[in-house]
Amino acid sequence: MKILITGGAGFIGTNFCYYMLKKHPDYEYVCMDSLTYAGNLHNLEKALENPNFKFVKASISDREAVDKLFAKENFDIVVNFAAESHVDRSIENPSIFLETNIMGTAALLDASRKYGVKRYHQVSTDEVYGDLPIDRPDLFFTEETPIHTSSPYSSSKASADLLTLAYARTYKMPVTISRCSNNYGPYQFPEKLIPVMIQKALNDENLPVYGNGLNVRDWLYVDDHCSAIDLIIHNGREGEVYNIGGHNEKQNIEVVKTILERVGKPESLITYVKDRAGHDLRYAIDPAKIHAELGWLPETKFADGIKLTIDWYLNNRAWMDDIFSGDYAKFNETEGGKYA
């Protein structure tokens, strides 16, 4: 079995690479990543020591590079993590999100169809559903919830989902889609809530919290997400969407205070700032479908996962320092060129 993992030098992709190498050591893996600002080749140094793992520096929106790679490798499965994913950046500059998340997905779908990939899996997000009211804790996103996007980011991901489903119907392609809640864990680029707050707390800087901090997210530990995708690509029904949720709803301010307590810093560091434009109120996923069909449930409680996550960052300060100094980008440029 040979699997292409796109975006594998990013947060979730990196964790998926290591999860699969451990779970299916006899498989062959090709990781394709363009090493944009959120990709880090340092993440994959241990993976590259494995003879069944190789890295290719290329963008999914580069059709020539994609076609060349597919023709050479004859993939059985494609798992597409590659995406621009930061909401604030999508508000500032939507175009790159359209290029990568929509046109890049189209390039992968065309290559998968052309070269007979047995399963194409699109990694999506619960943000395609919009948001839920905070005062209705009985409401959850299901696979039947209508698409109702709030940002250029979520709109680009929804577009990719619809395109993937269209290829399934029009071309009878064997596709699946997963929509996950907020991931957390090792290797997350420090522009997302948890690593940002950890870094600022360690440096005794103010911790900026949007609005009143009461926005709710369902937190999913990244290894639980990886195990769900593993089940879907092997046993999920073709043409289906599966929601992956953590059953760990927390207000943003709760998460921030938990981090401060864990690292021994005062809550006085919290600073409330102007809310993000179009900021979704609450995300909450009902994972009943994947549980019923594939037997999956999240195993990691937030109290345990957040400790593991914070401890990882505390034990890997050099990883964070490389990002903030820009050294990781220099490493990507010099070392990544060897894999182009």
Side-chain angles (χ1 to χ4, degrees):
M1 186 76 73
K2 183 177 288 189
I3 299 181
L4 172 64
I5 302 170
T6 68
F11 163 44
I12 306 176
T14 290
N15 282 279
F16 186 71
C17 287
Y18 286 116
Y19 179 92
M20 294 297 285
L21 282 167
K22 183 177 180 180
K23 184 74 178 292
H24 305 284
D26 55 325
Y27 287 9
E28 293 180 70
Y29 302 94
V30 177
C31 171
M32 178 183 181
D33 198 296
S34 61
L35 297 179
T36 61
Y37 78 94
N40 190 341
L41 195 55
H42 278 306
N43 294 355
L44 300 173
E45 286 177 314
K46 291 182 181 178
L48 286 165
E49 296 173 0
N50 191 304
N52 285 356
F53 184 91
K54 68 170 68 171
F55 178 81
V56 175
K57 182 184 178 183
S59 170
I60 62 170
S61 57
D62 183 342
R63 282 185 169 268
E64 183 178 351
V66 169
D67 189 87
K68 181 179 178 181
L69 183 63
F70 274 69
K72 177 183 177 182
E73 297 290 352
N74 191 30
F75 297 114
D76 297 293
I77 297 173
V78 173
V79 182
N80 181 27
F81 290 98
E84 294 286 343
S85 66
H86 192 46
V87 175
D88 287 347
R89 287 177 182 265
S90 81
I91 294 171
E92 295 170 3
N93 182 18
S95 61
I96 186 62
F97 286 73
L98 309 184
E99 177 67 24
T100 300
N101 298 355
I102 302 174
M103 300 308 295
T105 297
L108 291 174
L109 286 166
D110 285 338
S112 295
R113 183 166 70 95
K114 179 179 179 180
Y115 292 101
V117 167
K118 299 178 180 66
R119 172 64 60 91
Y120 174 90
H121 183 74
Q122 178 73 12
V123 180
S124 188
T125 170
D126 60 356
E127 294 191 42
V128 302
Y129 298 124
D131 63 355
L132 297 166
I134 289 178
D135 61 353
R136 288 293 306 276
D138 57 310
L139 296 180
F140 296 88
F141 295 138
T142 73
E143 290 80 2
E144 305 305 317
T145 300
I147 299 296
H148 188 68
T149 60
S150 302
S151 68
Y153 161 62
S154 58
S155 296
S156 68
K157 293 296 287 185
S159 299
D161 288 3
L162 294 173
L163 190 64
T164 300
L165 293 174
Y167 272 59
R169 179 164 182 171
T170 301
Y171 303 115
K172 310 303 178 187
M173 275 185 61
V175 308
T176 43
I177 297 173
S178 58
R179 293 171 179 157
C180 67
S181 55
N182 279 39
N183 278 222
Y184 68 106
Y187 299 105
Q188 189 169 29
F189 193 81
E191 66 180 356
K192 300 298 178 78
L193 179 69
I194 289 176
V196 163
M197 297 303 170
I198 293 172
Q199 177 70 6
K200 288 185 176 296
L202 292 175
N203 292 334
D204 294 308
E205 299 175 12
N206 287 335
L207 278 59
V209 175
Y210 280 131
N212 56 15
L214 300 183
N215 302 65
V216 174
R217 299 293 180 261
D218 176 19
W219 291 95
L220 175 68
Y221 191 62
V222 66
D223 277 358
D224 288 339
H225 187 190
C226 293
S227 69
I229 294 175
D230 181 28
L231 284 171
I232 294 169
I233 62 177
H234 287 97
N235 302 312
R237 288 187 293 134
E238 294 179 6
E240 292 294 317
V241 175
Y242 293 92
N243 283 350
I244 307 172
H247 279 317
N248 285 304
E249 287 187 57
K250 299 289 179 184
Q251 294 175 338
N252 287 347
I253 192 64
E254 289 183 79
V255 175
V256 173
K257 288 181 178 180
T258 298
I259 291 169
L260 287 170
E261 181 181 7
R262 183 68 178 173
V263 300
K265 299 292 183 176
E267 293 184 7
S268 58
L269 290 175
I270 296 172
T271 302
Y272 294 94
V273 298
K274 182 180 179 181
D275 208 355
R276 167 195 289 159
H279 200 178
D280 288 333
L281 297 175
R282 172 176 171 256
Y283 303 147
I285 276 184
D286 179 1
K289 178 177 178 179
I290 190 173
H291 176 58
E293 292 191 13
L294 303 178
W296 180 89
L297 280 175
E299 296 182 358
T300 310
K301 295 180 180 179
F302 185 78
D304 298 325
I306 193 65
K307 289 178 182 177
L308 291 171
T309 301
I310 294 171
D311 288 349
W312 186 88
Y313 284 103
L314 291 175
N315 294 325
N316 289 273
R317 294 292 296 273
W319 183 88
M320 293 279 276
D321 291 342
D322 275 351
I323 290 176
F324 284 102
S325 70
D327 286 347
Y328 86 103
K330 298 174 184 176
F331 182 80
N332 282 348
E333 185 175 351
T334 57
E335 295 300 309
K338 300 176 182 179
Y339 302 97

